[in-house]
Amino acid sequence: INNSKAEYSLKNYILLLSLKINDMITSKTQARFIEWLRSDEMYQASKKWHSELSFIKDEQLFFDGLIKTYTLQLLDKNKFEKNKKFIAALDASQKKVDELLEIVKTHSNDLEILVDGINQIKEEASYKKEHKGLVLVISAFFIEYKNLKTELFQIIKEILKDEKQRHLIDKK
């Protein structure tokens, strides 16, 4: 795959996801607002996304450490299937972060279309449409990730509670 085909593929992926998510979101106000965003506002949004996604990527390294630390407890036969599904979701989330980081990077680099001083109406409209799609996709990802993180903390909380109870029983 050459670079332009990969970028085209990423853009198609964004558009497909945004259409899918857009069906779920009924707010036309947000879409109209994005059409009027200035290039510097879109640049700032892209920088913020990149920063948040980079933080999530680092945070996921911490989560990997937690999972390794509590592997035996996660393999408990009573909770194994649930934990297995959760770990698979966490792995998928890690891959999604990498994809989104690459998409945001490409999107930021393509901002030149809006600031180059050349009047390219179709390309500028396409860029804004892509930005709109990214707003929807990244917002949905952040919500999904927050739920995943909450679930991880609940699992670890239960493990720590069980360990504390076992420790108290062993003392008696």
Side-chain angles (χ1 to χ4, degrees), residues 52-64 86 89-90 92-94 96-97 100 137-153:
E52 290 176 7
L53 290 167
S54 294
F55 178 81
I56 287 172
K57 187 172 176 134
D58 289 341
E59 191 174 45
Q60 287 176 333
L61 294 173
F62 170 73
F63 295 158
D64 285 344
F86 170 78
L90 191 61
S93 175
Q94 289 174 337
K96 182 80 170 188
V97 166
L100 288 173
V137 168
I138 291 176
S139 296
F141 173 76
F142 286 155
I143 291 168
E144 179 184 314
Y145 180 74
K146 182 180 177 186
N147 292 336
L148 197 60
K149 198 161 90 167
T150 301
E151 187 177 349
L152 173 64
F153 289 137

PDB file of all heavy atoms in Angstrom, residues 52-64 86 89-90 92-94 96-97 100 137-153:
ATOM      1  N   GLU A  52      -4.911  14.189  23.825  1.00  0.00           N
ATOM      2  CA  GLU A  52      -5.747  13.282  24.615  1.00  0.00           C
ATOM      3  C   GLU A  52      -5.517  11.828  24.212  1.00  0.00           C
ATOM      4  O   GLU A  52      -5.457  10.943  25.069  1.00  0.00           O
ATOM      5  CB  GLU A  52      -7.222  13.663  24.476  1.00  0.00           C
ATOM      6  CG  GLU A  52      -7.557  14.969  25.175  1.00  0.00           C
ATOM      7  CD  GLU A  52      -8.994  15.423  24.971  1.00  0.00           C
ATOM      8  OE1 GLU A  52      -9.806  14.671  24.398  1.00  0.00           O
ATOM      9  OE2 GLU A  52      -9.310  16.544  25.396  1.00  0.00           O
ATOM     10  N   LEU A  53      -5.393  11.575  22.924  1.00  0.00           N
ATOM     11  CA  LEU A  53      -5.140  10.216  22.460  1.00  0.00           C
ATOM     12  C   LEU A  53      -3.754   9.727  22.900  1.00  0.00           C
ATOM     13  O   LEU A  53      -3.596   8.556  23.265  1.00  0.00           O
ATOM     14  CB  LEU A  53      -5.283  10.136  20.937  1.00  0.00           C
ATOM     15  CG  LEU A  53      -6.713  10.271  20.411  1.00  0.00           C
ATOM     16  CD1 LEU A  53      -6.708  10.508  18.905  1.00  0.00           C
ATOM     17  CD2 LEU A  53      -7.560   9.065  20.773  1.00  0.00           C
ATOM     18  N   SER A  54      -2.764  10.608  22.888  1.00  0.00           N
ATOM     19  CA  SER A  54      -1.427  10.243  23.363  1.00  0.00           C
ATOM     20  C   SER A  54      -1.457   9.917  24.849  1.00  0.00           C
ATOM     21  O   SER A  54      -0.809   8.957  25.298  1.00  0.00           O
ATOM     22  CB  SER A  54      -0.438  11.380  23.104  1.00  0.00           C
ATOM     23  OG  SER A  54      -0.259  11.582  21.727  1.00  0.00           O
ATOM     24  N   PHE A  55      -2.223  10.686  25.615  1.00  0.00           N
ATOM     25  CA  PHE A  55      -2.369  10.404  27.044  1.00  0.00           C
ATOM     26  C   PHE A  55      -3.028   9.044  27.244  1.00  0.00           C
ATOM     27  O   PHE A  55      -2.586   8.245  28.085  1.00  0.00           O
ATOM     28  CB  PHE A  55      -3.176  11.498  27.745  1.00  0.00           C
ATOM     29  CG  PHE A  55      -3.388  11.224  29.200  1.00  0.00           C
ATOM     30  CD1 PHE A  55      -2.397  11.498  30.117  1.00  0.00           C
ATOM     31  CD2 PHE A  55      -4.572  10.654  29.658  1.00  0.00           C
ATOM     32  CE1 PHE A  55      -2.566  11.228  31.470  1.00  0.00           C
ATOM     33  CE2 PHE A  55      -4.757  10.386  30.996  1.00  0.00           C
ATOM     34  CZ  PHE A  55      -3.757  10.669  31.908  1.00  0.00           C
ATOM     35  N   ILE A  56      -4.071   8.771  26.477  1.00  0.00           N
ATOM     36  CA  ILE A  56      -4.760   7.486  26.583  1.00  0.00           C
ATOM     37  C   ILE A  56      -3.804   6.345  26.266  1.00  0.00           C
ATOM     38  O   ILE A  56      -3.806   5.311  26.937  1.00  0.00           O
ATOM     39  CB  ILE A  56      -6.007   7.455  25.670  1.00  0.00           C
ATOM     40  CG1 ILE A  56      -7.113   8.342  26.270  1.00  0.00           C
ATOM     41  CG2 ILE A  56      -6.514   6.031  25.465  1.00  0.00           C
ATOM     42  CD1 ILE A  56      -8.316   8.553  25.362  1.00  0.00           C
ATOM     43  N   LYS A  57      -2.966   6.533  25.263  1.00  0.00           N
ATOM     44  CA  LYS A  57      -2.001   5.499  24.902  1.00  0.00           C
ATOM     45  C   LYS A  57      -1.060   5.216  26.075  1.00  0.00           C
ATOM     46  O   LYS A  57      -0.773   4.055  26.389  1.00  0.00           O
ATOM     47  CB  LYS A  57      -1.209   5.929  23.667  1.00  0.00           C
ATOM     48  CG  LYS A  57      -0.316   4.853  23.129  1.00  0.00           C
ATOM     49  CD  LYS A  57       0.291   5.248  21.809  1.00  0.00           C
ATOM     50  CE  LYS A  57       1.245   4.175  21.366  1.00  0.00           C
ATOM     51  NZ  LYS A  57       1.101   3.814  20.002  1.00  0.00           N
ATOM     52  N   ASP A  58      -0.589   6.268  26.749  1.00  0.00           N
ATOM     53  CA  ASP A  58       0.261   6.098  27.934  1.00  0.00           C
ATOM     54  C   ASP A  58      -0.525   5.451  29.076  1.00  0.00           C
ATOM     55  O   ASP A  58       0.000   4.591  29.797  1.00  0.00           O
ATOM     56  CB  ASP A  58       0.829   7.435  28.396  1.00  0.00           C
ATOM     57  CG  ASP A  58       1.886   7.978  27.452  1.00  0.00           C
ATOM     58  OD1 ASP A  58       2.446   7.192  26.658  1.00  0.00           O
ATOM     59  OD2 ASP A  58       2.153   9.199  27.505  1.00  0.00           O
ATOM     60  N   GLU A  59      -1.754   5.861  29.232  1.00  0.00           N
ATOM     61  CA  GLU A  59      -2.602   5.318  30.285  1.00  0.00           C
ATOM     62  C   GLU A  59      -2.825   3.817  30.071  1.00  0.00           C
ATOM     63  O   GLU A  59      -2.868   3.043  31.026  1.00  0.00           O
ATOM     64  CB  GLU A  59      -3.938   6.070  30.284  1.00  0.00           C
ATOM     65  CG  GLU A  59      -4.825   5.814  31.458  1.00  0.00           C
ATOM     66  CD  GLU A  59      -6.049   6.709  31.439  1.00  0.00           C
ATOM     67  OE1 GLU A  59      -6.684   6.868  30.378  1.00  0.00           O
ATOM     68  OE2 GLU A  59      -6.385   7.248  32.510  1.00  0.00           O
ATOM     69  N   GLN A  60      -2.933   3.421  28.825  1.00  0.00           N
ATOM     70  CA  GLN A  60      -3.138   2.005  28.523  1.00  0.00           C
ATOM     71  C   GLN A  60      -1.927   1.162  28.912  1.00  0.00           C
ATOM     72  O   GLN A  60      -2.081  -0.010  29.258  1.00  0.00           O
ATOM     73  CB  GLN A  60      -3.499   1.829  27.052  1.00  0.00           C
ATOM     74  CG  GLN A  60      -4.906   2.306  26.766  1.00  0.00           C
ATOM     75  CD  GLN A  60      -5.280   2.248  25.306  1.00  0.00           C
ATOM     76  OE1 GLN A  60      -4.435   2.324  24.431  1.00  0.00           O
ATOM     77  NE2 GLN A  60      -6.573   2.118  25.040  1.00  0.00           N
ATOM     78  N   LEU A  61      -0.741   1.745  28.900  1.00  0.00           N
ATOM     79  CA  LEU A  61       0.448   1.028  29.395  1.00  0.00           C
ATOM     80  C   LEU A  61       0.299   0.738  30.887  1.00  0.00           C
ATOM     81  O   LEU A  61       0.661  -0.345  31.360  1.00  0.00           O
ATOM     82  CB  LEU A  61       1.714   1.845  29.131  1.00  0.00           C
ATOM     83  CG  LEU A  61       2.098   2.044  27.673  1.00  0.00           C
ATOM     84  CD1 LEU A  61       3.283   3.009  27.563  1.00  0.00           C
ATOM     85  CD2 LEU A  61       2.416   0.714  27.008  1.00  0.00           C
ATOM     86  N   PHE A  62      -0.244   1.704  31.615  1.00  0.00           N
ATOM     87  CA  PHE A  62      -0.518   1.506  33.045  1.00  0.00           C
ATOM     88  C   PHE A  62      -1.542   0.381  33.225  1.00  0.00           C
ATOM     89  O   PHE A  62      -1.386  -0.486  34.084  1.00  0.00           O
ATOM     90  CB  PHE A  62      -1.018   2.805  33.675  1.00  0.00           C
ATOM     91  CG  PHE A  62      -1.549   2.650  35.062  1.00  0.00           C
ATOM     92  CD1 PHE A  62      -0.695   2.422  36.129  1.00  0.00           C
ATOM     93  CD2 PHE A  62      -2.908   2.728  35.315  1.00  0.00           C
ATOM     94  CE1 PHE A  62      -1.183   2.267  37.422  1.00  0.00           C
ATOM     95  CE2 PHE A  62      -3.407   2.587  36.590  1.00  0.00           C
ATOM     96  CZ  PHE A  62      -2.541   2.351  37.650  1.00  0.00           C
ATOM     97  N   PHE A  63      -2.592   0.389  32.386  1.00  0.00           N
ATOM     98  CA  PHE A  63      -3.616  -0.654  32.479  1.00  0.00           C
ATOM     99  C   PHE A  63      -3.030  -2.034  32.176  1.00  0.00           C
ATOM    100  O   PHE A  63      -3.397  -3.015  32.821  1.00  0.00           O
ATOM    101  CB  PHE A  63      -4.778  -0.359  31.528  1.00  0.00           C
ATOM    102  CG  PHE A  63      -5.545   0.899  31.870  1.00  0.00           C
ATOM    103  CD1 PHE A  63      -6.291   1.538  30.908  1.00  0.00           C
ATOM    104  CD2 PHE A  63      -5.515   1.441  33.141  1.00  0.00           C
ATOM    105  CE1 PHE A  63      -7.000   2.694  31.203  1.00  0.00           C
ATOM    106  CE2 PHE A  63      -6.214   2.592  33.453  1.00  0.00           C
ATOM    107  CZ  PHE A  63      -6.960   3.215  32.473  1.00  0.00           C
ATOM    108  N   ASP A  64      -2.125  -2.090  31.207  1.00  0.00           N
ATOM    109  CA  ASP A  64      -1.453  -3.359  30.910  1.00  0.00           C
ATOM    110  C   ASP A  64      -0.704  -3.860  32.138  1.00  0.00           C
ATOM    111  O   ASP A  64      -0.718  -5.058  32.435  1.00  0.00           O
ATOM    112  CB  ASP A  64      -0.480  -3.202  29.741  1.00  0.00           C
ATOM    113  CG  ASP A  64      -1.168  -3.104  28.396  1.00  0.00           C
ATOM    114  OD1 ASP A  64      -2.367  -3.443  28.302  1.00  0.00           O
ATOM    115  OD2 ASP A  64      -0.506  -2.671  27.430  1.00  0.00           O
ATOM    116  N   PHE A  86     -13.493  -8.418  28.456  1.00  0.00           N
ATOM    117  CA  PHE A  86     -13.012  -7.083  28.797  1.00  0.00           C
ATOM    118  C   PHE A  86     -11.596  -6.864  28.250  1.00  0.00           C
ATOM    119  O   PHE A  86     -11.306  -5.828  27.661  1.00  0.00           O
ATOM    120  CB  PHE A  86     -13.028  -6.850  30.314  1.00  0.00           C
ATOM    121  CG  PHE A  86     -12.327  -5.596  30.691  1.00  0.00           C
ATOM    122  CD1 PHE A  86     -12.955  -4.373  30.520  1.00  0.00           C
ATOM    123  CD2 PHE A  86     -11.012  -5.616  31.140  1.00  0.00           C
ATOM    124  CE1 PHE A  86     -12.286  -3.195  30.817  1.00  0.00           C
ATOM    125  CE2 PHE A  86     -10.346  -4.438  31.444  1.00  0.00           C
ATOM    126  CZ  PHE A  86     -10.987  -3.231  31.279  1.00  0.00           C
ATOM    127  N   ALA A  89     -11.657  -6.265  24.648  1.00  0.00           N
ATOM    128  CA  ALA A  89     -12.127  -4.896  24.371  1.00  0.00           C
ATOM    129  C   ALA A  89     -11.009  -3.888  24.623  1.00  0.00           C
ATOM    130  O   ALA A  89     -10.853  -2.924  23.864  1.00  0.00           O
ATOM    131  CB  ALA A  89     -13.350  -4.570  25.221  1.00  0.00           C
ATOM    132  N   LEU A  90     -10.232  -4.112  25.670  1.00  0.00           N
ATOM    133  CA  LEU A  90      -9.107  -3.224  25.976  1.00  0.00           C
ATOM    134  C   LEU A  90      -8.049  -3.297  24.866  1.00  0.00           C
ATOM    135  O   LEU A  90      -7.518  -2.268  24.445  1.00  0.00           O
ATOM    136  CB  LEU A  90      -8.505  -3.578  27.335  1.00  0.00           C
ATOM    137  CG  LEU A  90      -7.504  -2.602  27.921  1.00  0.00           C
ATOM    138  CD1 LEU A  90      -8.139  -1.230  28.146  1.00  0.00           C
ATOM    139  CD2 LEU A  90      -6.952  -3.124  29.233  1.00  0.00           C
ATOM    140  N   ALA A  92      -8.613  -4.078  21.736  1.00  0.00           N
ATOM    141  CA  ALA A  92      -9.199  -3.403  20.574  1.00  0.00           C
ATOM    142  C   ALA A  92      -9.102  -1.892  20.737  1.00  0.00           C
ATOM    143  O   ALA A  92      -8.832  -1.165  19.769  1.00  0.00           O
ATOM    144  CB  ALA A  92     -10.654  -3.833  20.399  1.00  0.00           C
ATOM    145  N   SER A  93      -9.287  -1.429  21.957  1.00  0.00           N
ATOM    146  CA  SER A  93      -9.187   0.005  22.238  1.00  0.00           C
ATOM    147  C   SER A  93      -7.770   0.514  21.988  1.00  0.00           C
ATOM    148  O   SER A  93      -7.577   1.612  21.464  1.00  0.00           O
ATOM    149  CB  SER A  93      -9.602   0.275  23.687  1.00  0.00           C
ATOM    150  OG  SER A  93      -9.413   1.616  24.025  1.00  0.00           O
ATOM    151  N   GLN A  94      -6.776  -0.285  22.357  1.00  0.00           N
ATOM    152  CA  GLN A  94      -5.385   0.100  22.119  1.00  0.00           C
ATOM    153  C   GLN A  94      -5.098   0.227  20.626  1.00  0.00           C
ATOM    154  O   GLN A  94      -4.431   1.164  20.192  1.00  0.00           O
ATOM    155  CB  GLN A  94      -4.430  -0.905  22.760  1.00  0.00           C
ATOM    156  CG  GLN A  94      -4.428  -0.824  24.270  1.00  0.00           C
ATOM    157  CD  GLN A  94      -3.590  -1.911  24.926  1.00  0.00           C
ATOM    158  OE1 GLN A  94      -3.348  -2.960  24.350  1.00  0.00           O
ATOM    159  NE2 GLN A  94      -3.178  -1.662  26.158  1.00  0.00           N
ATOM    160  N   LYS A  96      -7.342   0.875  18.361  1.00  0.00           N
ATOM    161  CA  LYS A  96      -8.132   2.018  17.894  1.00  0.00           C
ATOM    162  C   LYS A  96      -7.407   3.334  18.184  1.00  0.00           C
ATOM    163  O   LYS A  96      -7.431   4.247  17.360  1.00  0.00           O
ATOM    164  CB  LYS A  96      -9.503   1.993  18.585  1.00  0.00           C
ATOM    165  CG  LYS A  96     -10.446   3.062  18.175  1.00  0.00           C
ATOM    166  CD  LYS A  96     -11.094   2.725  16.879  1.00  0.00           C
ATOM    167  CE  LYS A  96     -12.209   3.718  16.636  1.00  0.00           C
ATOM    168  NZ  LYS A  96     -13.000   3.363  15.491  1.00  0.00           N
ATOM    169  N   VAL A  97      -6.753   3.434  19.333  1.00  0.00           N
ATOM    170  CA  VAL A  97      -5.988   4.636  19.668  1.00  0.00           C
ATOM    171  C   VAL A  97      -4.886   4.861  18.640  1.00  0.00           C
ATOM    172  O   VAL A  97      -4.698   5.988  18.163  1.00  0.00           O
ATOM    173  CB  VAL A  97      -5.388   4.562  21.094  1.00  0.00           C
ATOM    174  CG1 VAL A  97      -4.336   5.630  21.317  1.00  0.00           C
ATOM    175  CG2 VAL A  97      -6.481   4.715  22.134  1.00  0.00           C
ATOM    176  N   LEU A 100      -6.506   6.079  15.445  1.00  0.00           N
ATOM    177  CA  LEU A 100      -6.982   7.463  15.566  1.00  0.00           C
ATOM    178  C   LEU A 100      -5.827   8.451  15.617  1.00  0.00           C
ATOM    179  O   LEU A 100      -5.925   9.540  15.044  1.00  0.00           O
ATOM    180  CB  LEU A 100      -7.891   7.614  16.793  1.00  0.00           C
ATOM    181  CG  LEU A 100      -9.266   6.963  16.674  1.00  0.00           C
ATOM    182  CD1 LEU A 100     -10.012   7.042  18.012  1.00  0.00           C
ATOM    183  CD2 LEU A 100     -10.083   7.590  15.564  1.00  0.00           C
ATOM    184  N   VAL A 137     -16.511  10.644  15.464  1.00  0.00           N
ATOM    185  CA  VAL A 137     -15.794   9.395  15.739  1.00  0.00           C
ATOM    186  C   VAL A 137     -14.990   9.500  17.025  1.00  0.00           C
ATOM    187  O   VAL A 137     -15.040   8.594  17.878  1.00  0.00           O
ATOM    188  CB  VAL A 137     -14.871   9.030  14.545  1.00  0.00           C
ATOM    189  CG1 VAL A 137     -13.913   7.913  14.902  1.00  0.00           C
ATOM    190  CG2 VAL A 137     -15.703   8.650  13.333  1.00  0.00           C
ATOM    191  N   ILE A 138     -14.266  10.578  17.189  1.00  0.00           N
ATOM    192  CA  ILE A 138     -13.419  10.724  18.373  1.00  0.00           C
ATOM    193  C   ILE A 138     -14.260  10.919  19.627  1.00  0.00           C
ATOM    194  O   ILE A 138     -13.954  10.349  20.679  1.00  0.00           O
ATOM    195  CB  ILE A 138     -12.382  11.847  18.167  1.00  0.00           C
ATOM    196  CG1 ILE A 138     -11.367  11.387  17.117  1.00  0.00           C
ATOM    197  CG2 ILE A 138     -11.691  12.222  19.466  1.00  0.00           C
ATOM    198  CD1 ILE A 138     -10.335  12.394  16.710  1.00  0.00           C
ATOM    199  N   SER A 139     -15.342  11.662  19.519  1.00  0.00           N
ATOM    200  CA  SER A 139     -16.244  11.820  20.676  1.00  0.00           C
ATOM    201  C   SER A 139     -16.808  10.473  21.104  1.00  0.00           C
ATOM    202  O   SER A 139     -16.851  10.159  22.295  1.00  0.00           O
ATOM    203  CB  SER A 139     -17.385  12.777  20.342  1.00  0.00           C
ATOM    204  OG  SER A 139     -16.891  14.059  20.092  1.00  0.00           O
ATOM    205  N   ALA A 140     -17.230   9.670  20.133  1.00  0.00           N
ATOM    206  CA  ALA A 140     -17.751   8.337  20.445  1.00  0.00           C
ATOM    207  C   ALA A 140     -16.666   7.466  21.078  1.00  0.00           C
ATOM    208  O   ALA A 140     -16.933   6.735  22.041  1.00  0.00           O
ATOM    209  CB  ALA A 140     -18.300   7.675  19.185  1.00  0.00           C
ATOM    210  N   PHE A 141     -15.440   7.560  20.559  1.00  0.00           N
ATOM    211  CA  PHE A 141     -14.344   6.773  21.125  1.00  0.00           C
ATOM    212  C   PHE A 141     -14.079   7.176  22.574  1.00  0.00           C
ATOM    213  O   PHE A 141     -13.882   6.311  23.433  1.00  0.00           O
ATOM    214  CB  PHE A 141     -13.053   6.917  20.311  1.00  0.00           C
ATOM    215  CG  PHE A 141     -11.888   6.252  20.976  1.00  0.00           C
ATOM    216  CD1 PHE A 141     -11.759   4.870  20.944  1.00  0.00           C
ATOM    217  CD2 PHE A 141     -10.950   6.990  21.674  1.00  0.00           C
ATOM    218  CE1 PHE A 141     -10.702   4.239  21.586  1.00  0.00           C
ATOM    219  CE2 PHE A 141      -9.895   6.376  22.321  1.00  0.00           C
ATOM    220  CZ  PHE A 141      -9.765   4.994  22.270  1.00  0.00           C
ATOM    221  N   PHE A 142     -14.053   8.478  22.854  1.00  0.00           N
ATOM    222  CA  PHE A 142     -13.789   8.942  24.217  1.00  0.00           C
ATOM    223  C   PHE A 142     -14.853   8.423  25.185  1.00  0.00           C
ATOM    224  O   PHE A 142     -14.542   8.031  26.307  1.00  0.00           O
ATOM    225  CB  PHE A 142     -13.708  10.462  24.288  1.00  0.00           C
ATOM    226  CG  PHE A 142     -12.435  11.036  23.705  1.00  0.00           C
ATOM    227  CD1 PHE A 142     -12.411  12.331  23.233  1.00  0.00           C
ATOM    228  CD2 PHE A 142     -11.270  10.300  23.621  1.00  0.00           C
ATOM    229  CE1 PHE A 142     -11.250  12.877  22.698  1.00  0.00           C
ATOM    230  CE2 PHE A 142     -10.100  10.826  23.093  1.00  0.00           C
ATOM    231  CZ  PHE A 142     -10.095  12.121  22.628  1.00  0.00           C
ATOM    232  N   ILE A 143     -16.100   8.405  24.764  1.00  0.00           N
ATOM    233  CA  ILE A 143     -17.176   7.887  25.613  1.00  0.00           C
ATOM    234  C   ILE A 143     -16.974   6.393  25.850  1.00  0.00           C
ATOM    235  O   ILE A 143     -17.059   5.906  26.987  1.00  0.00           O
ATOM    236  CB  ILE A 143     -18.554   8.171  24.977  1.00  0.00           C
ATOM    237  CG1 ILE A 143     -18.843   9.670  25.020  1.00  0.00           C
ATOM    238  CG2 ILE A 143     -19.659   7.378  25.679  1.00  0.00           C
ATOM    239  CD1 ILE A 143     -20.018  10.106  24.168  1.00  0.00           C
ATOM    240  N   GLU A 144     -16.688   5.655  24.778  1.00  0.00           N
ATOM    241  CA  GLU A 144     -16.461   4.218  24.874  1.00  0.00           C
ATOM    242  C   GLU A 144     -15.259   3.923  25.770  1.00  0.00           C
ATOM    243  O   GLU A 144     -15.297   3.019  26.610  1.00  0.00           O
ATOM    244  CB  GLU A 144     -16.209   3.669  23.467  1.00  0.00           C
ATOM    245  CG  GLU A 144     -15.919   2.195  23.381  1.00  0.00           C
ATOM    246  CD  GLU A 144     -15.585   1.790  21.948  1.00  0.00           C
ATOM    247  OE1 GLU A 144     -16.299   2.199  21.025  1.00  0.00           O
ATOM    248  OE2 GLU A 144     -14.585   1.061  21.780  1.00  0.00           O
ATOM    249  N   TYR A 145     -14.205   4.706  25.629  1.00  0.00           N
ATOM    250  CA  TYR A 145     -12.995   4.496  26.422  1.00  0.00           C
ATOM    251  C   TYR A 145     -13.255   4.786  27.902  1.00  0.00           C
ATOM    252  O   TYR A 145     -12.788   4.049  28.768  1.00  0.00           O
ATOM    253  CB  TYR A 145     -11.857   5.371  25.896  1.00  0.00           C
ATOM    254  CG  TYR A 145     -10.586   5.190  26.681  1.00  0.00           C
ATOM    255  CD1 TYR A 145      -9.820   4.037  26.542  1.00  0.00           C
ATOM    256  CD2 TYR A 145     -10.165   6.149  27.590  1.00  0.00           C
ATOM    257  CE1 TYR A 145      -8.667   3.857  27.276  1.00  0.00           C
ATOM    258  CE2 TYR A 145      -9.012   5.964  28.326  1.00  0.00           C
ATOM    259  CZ  TYR A 145      -8.267   4.820  28.163  1.00  0.00           C
ATOM    260  OH  TYR A 145      -7.129   4.634  28.905  1.00  0.00           O
ATOM    261  N   LYS A 146     -14.007   5.824  28.177  1.00  0.00           N
ATOM    262  CA  LYS A 146     -14.329   6.154  29.563  1.00  0.00           C
ATOM    263  C   LYS A 146     -15.099   5.006  30.215  1.00  0.00           C
ATOM    264  O   LYS A 146     -14.830   4.641  31.361  1.00  0.00           O
ATOM    265  CB  LYS A 146     -15.153   7.444  29.618  1.00  0.00           C
ATOM    266  CG  LYS A 146     -15.497   7.883  31.011  1.00  0.00           C
ATOM    267  CD  LYS A 146     -16.304   9.168  31.009  1.00  0.00           C
ATOM    268  CE  LYS A 146     -16.697   9.558  32.411  1.00  0.00           C
ATOM    269  NZ  LYS A 146     -17.600  10.711  32.429  1.00  0.00           N
ATOM    270  N   ASN A 147     -16.026   4.419  29.483  1.00  0.00           N
ATOM    271  CA  ASN A 147     -16.780   3.276  30.008  1.00  0.00           C
ATOM    272  C   ASN A 147     -15.877   2.076  30.244  1.00  0.00           C
ATOM    273  O   ASN A 147     -16.015   1.371  31.245  1.00  0.00           O
ATOM    274  CB  ASN A 147     -17.919   2.908  29.054  1.00  0.00           C
ATOM    275  CG  ASN A 147     -18.998   3.961  29.012  1.00  0.00           C
ATOM    276  OD1 ASN A 147     -19.178   4.730  29.949  1.00  0.00           O
ATOM    277  ND2 ASN A 147     -19.712   4.027  27.909  1.00  0.00           N
ATOM    278  N   LEU A 148     -14.948   1.851  29.337  1.00  0.00           N
ATOM    279  CA  LEU A 148     -13.990   0.753  29.461  1.00  0.00           C
ATOM    280  C   LEU A 148     -13.111   0.946  30.700  1.00  0.00           C
ATOM    281  O   LEU A 148     -12.869   0.014  31.471  1.00  0.00           O
ATOM    282  CB  LEU A 148     -13.135   0.686  28.202  1.00  0.00           C
ATOM    283  CG  LEU A 148     -12.349  -0.562  27.905  1.00  0.00           C
ATOM    284  CD1 LEU A 148     -13.273  -1.769  27.759  1.00  0.00           C
ATOM    285  CD2 LEU A 148     -11.549  -0.378  26.635  1.00  0.00           C
ATOM    286  N   LYS A 149     -12.664   2.165  30.888  1.00  0.00           N
ATOM    287  CA  LYS A 149     -11.823   2.497  32.041  1.00  0.00           C
ATOM    288  C   LYS A 149     -12.592   2.290  33.353  1.00  0.00           C
ATOM    289  O   LYS A 149     -12.064   1.718  34.307  1.00  0.00           O
ATOM    290  CB  LYS A 149     -11.380   3.962  31.906  1.00  0.00           C
ATOM    291  CG  LYS A 149     -10.214   4.349  32.728  1.00  0.00           C
ATOM    292  CD  LYS A 149      -9.584   5.613  32.220  1.00  0.00           C
ATOM    293  CE  LYS A 149     -10.142   6.841  32.831  1.00  0.00           C
ATOM    294  NZ  LYS A 149      -9.332   8.032  32.577  1.00  0.00           N
ATOM    295  N   THR A 150     -13.834   2.700  33.367  1.00  0.00           N
ATOM    296  CA  THR A 150     -14.674   2.514  34.547  1.00  0.00           C
ATOM    297  C   THR A 150     -14.819   1.029  34.855  1.00  0.00           C
ATOM    298  O   THR A 150     -14.743   0.611  36.018  1.00  0.00           O
ATOM    299  CB  THR A 150     -16.060   3.159  34.327  1.00  0.00           C
ATOM    300  OG1 THR A 150     -15.881   4.548  34.073  1.00  0.00           O
ATOM    301  CG2 THR A 150     -16.966   2.972  35.523  1.00  0.00           C
ATOM    302  N   GLU A 151     -15.021   0.227  33.814  1.00  0.00           N
ATOM    303  CA  GLU A 151     -15.153  -1.216  33.992  1.00  0.00           C
ATOM    304  C   GLU A 151     -13.858  -1.820  34.543  1.00  0.00           C
ATOM    305  O   GLU A 151     -13.891  -2.679  35.430  1.00  0.00           O
ATOM    306  CB  GLU A 151     -15.527  -1.879  32.668  1.00  0.00           C
ATOM    307  CG  GLU A 151     -15.845  -3.352  32.806  1.00  0.00           C
ATOM    308  CD  GLU A 151     -16.297  -3.988  31.498  1.00  0.00           C
ATOM    309  OE1 GLU A 151     -16.570  -3.266  30.520  1.00  0.00           O
ATOM    310  OE2 GLU A 151     -16.363  -5.230  31.464  1.00  0.00           O
ATOM    311  N   LEU A 152     -12.710  -1.373  34.038  1.00  0.00           N
ATOM    312  CA  LEU A 152     -11.426  -1.878  34.543  1.00  0.00           C
ATOM    313  C   LEU A 152     -11.279  -1.569  36.026  1.00  0.00           C
ATOM    314  O   LEU A 152     -10.897  -2.444  36.811  1.00  0.00           O
ATOM    315  CB  LEU A 152     -10.248  -1.267  33.773  1.00  0.00           C
ATOM    316  CG  LEU A 152      -8.864  -1.612  34.329  1.00  0.00           C
ATOM    317  CD1 LEU A 152      -8.593  -3.109  34.218  1.00  0.00           C
ATOM    318  CD2 LEU A 152      -7.785  -0.824  33.630  1.00  0.00           C
ATOM    319  N   PHE A 153     -11.584  -0.344  36.420  1.00  0.00           N
ATOM    320  CA  PHE A 153     -11.440   0.017  37.819  1.00  0.00           C
ATOM    321  C   PHE A 153     -12.403  -0.781  38.698  1.00  0.00           C
ATOM    322  O   PHE A 153     -12.067  -1.131  39.826  1.00  0.00           O
ATOM    323  CB  PHE A 153     -11.626   1.518  38.030  1.00  0.00           C
ATOM    324  CG  PHE A 153     -10.471   2.331  37.490  1.00  0.00           C
ATOM    325  CD1 PHE A 153     -10.700   3.489  36.784  1.00  0.00           C
ATOM    326  CD2 PHE A 153      -9.161   1.941  37.683  1.00  0.00           C
ATOM    327  CE1 PHE A 153      -9.639   4.241  36.280  1.00  0.00           C
ATOM    328  CE2 PHE A 153      -8.095   2.676  37.185  1.00  0.00           C
ATOM    329  CZ  PHE A 153      -8.334   3.831  36.490  1.00  0.00           C
TER     330      PHE A 153
END
